[in-house]
Amino acid sequence: MKNLADKKLIKFLMVGVVNTLVGTAIMFGLYNLAHWSYWTASAANYILTSILSFFLNKHFTFQNRAKGAPQALLFSLNIALCYLLAYGIAKPACRELLQNASAAVQDNISMLAGMVLFTGFNYFGQRLFVFREP
């Protein structure tokens, strides 16, 4: 566990700040301004920012030199699993905790919680599986 909290974690978080700024604008803009659904707005965020994340984390964070489509496929699978897990946990949990709040408040808080959960799951997935060191 100690080996997971190193310079790579700092770089991952730096990349995450960039992705979070872009993704948050996309997700909350689509949900609150364009009136897209919870799932569509949050999915659009992760689809669009995952492309940037792949290249930044591969080359900057983990300095991974592996070539080929299998790694991109594994990255995509990791993103999909982390997304489904994080947002699948966040939505019902926030609905239960915020029963008296409006649906819009529940969804906005749920999207924030999903972002936090996604970040944790995604770091471990990328570090331990997608860009693992040989």
Side-chain angles (χ1 to χ4, degrees):
M1 193 68 172
K2 183 181 175 185
N3 293 337
L4 296 176
D6 59 6
K7 186 169 61 170
K8 291 178 183 177
L9 175 60
I10 301 300
K11 287 181 174 184
F12 182 84
L13 293 174
M14 289 169 55
V15 168
V17 167
V18 171
N19 276 344
T20 298
L21 293 173
V22 172
T24 300
I26 291 168
M27 182 168 62
F28 287 103
L30 291 174
Y31 181 82
N32 291 298
L33 302 175
H35 306 290
W36 286 23
S37 75
Y38 171 87
W39 290 107
T40 307
S42 61
N45 164 26
Y46 286 98
I47 290 167
L48 296 173
T49 59
S50 289
I51 296 166
L52 176 62
S53 177
F54 176 77
F55 290 105
L56 288 175
N57 281 317
K58 177 178 177 61
H59 298 291
F60 174 69
T61 304
F62 299 110
Q63 298 176 349
N64 185 275
R65 307 256 186 260
K67 303 277 188 225
Q71 190 175 51
L73 183 60
L74 188 57
F75 179 87
S76 298
L77 180 62
N78 177 65
I79 293 292
L81 290 174
C82 291
Y83 168 76
L84 291 171
L85 185 60
Y87 284 81
I89 291 169
K91 184 154 177 88
C94 287
R95 189 180 318 135
E96 181 66 30
L97 292 171
L98 303 169
Q99 292 176 10
N100 296 327
S102 70
V105 168
Q106 289 177 5
D107 283 351
N108 278 285
I109 300 295
S110 176
M111 287 188 288
L112 284 172
M115 289 171 63
V116 171
L117 291 170
F118 177 87
T119 299
F121 296 149
N122 187 34
Y123 175 69
F124 288 111
Q126 287 191 41
R127 177 84 187 246
L128 300 174
F129 300 106
V130 179
F131 301 119
R132 72 177 171 264
E133 295 175 5

